[in-house]
Amino acid sequence: QVQLVESGGGLAQTGGSLRLSCAASGSTFSTISMGWYRQAPGKQRELVARIGSSGTPIYADSVKGRFTISRDNAKNTVYLQMNSLKPEDTAVYVCTAFYNTTSYMGQGTQVTVSS
């Protein structure tokens, strides 16, 4: 069982920045992919960004050039730096650990961007 604890959400203005953090338990962090989903009311869940064990990132088109995912294996932590925020980025952001046959999700952190 993996426990994921997110932090860093909150309120930002349009054009502002926030950085999300996700601390993971367990000793296999460096071998797995990590990512961030977001869920907004009335919308489908969206995979915002994912980073492989080698550090290679992928992004949703909606956040390319604005968001950066990174990881610190020594701290078992993954980050999501969000810049140039837009009101449509408002959502609950959920950290996810991807294993071969299953995935684990955190509780989520609310990000609200005001216009």
Side-chain angles (χ1 to χ4, degrees), residues 86-105:
K86 304 175 181 180
E88 51 264 44
D89 294 320
T90 295
V92 175
Y93 285 70
V94 182
C95 177
T96 304
F98 297 95
Y99 286 80
N100 286 341
T101 59
T102 190
S103 60
Y104 297 93
M105 293 182 147

Side-chain angles (χ1 to χ4, degrees), residues 65-111:
R66 300 188 298 121
F67 290 11
T68 302
I69 189 170
S70 61
R71 63 190 300 158
D72 185 337
N73 290 336
K75 296 182 178 179
N76 275 22
T77 300
V78 63
Y79 304 96
L80 186 67
Q81 178 67 44
M82 305 185 294
N83 298 329
S84 302
L85 284 164
K86 304 175 181 180
E88 51 264 44
D89 294 320
T90 295
V92 175
Y93 285 70
V94 182
C95 177
T96 304
F98 297 95
Y99 286 80
N100 286 341
T101 59
T102 190
S103 60
Y104 297 93
M105 293 182 147
Q107 298 271 21
T109 184
Q110 177 70 46
V111 171

Side-chain angles (χ1 to χ4, degrees), residues 5-25:
V5 179
E6 301 105 330
S7 60
L11 178 64
Q13 292 185 331
T14 296
S17 298
L18 286 172
R19 189 174 85 150
L20 307 183
S21 299
C22 172
S25 65

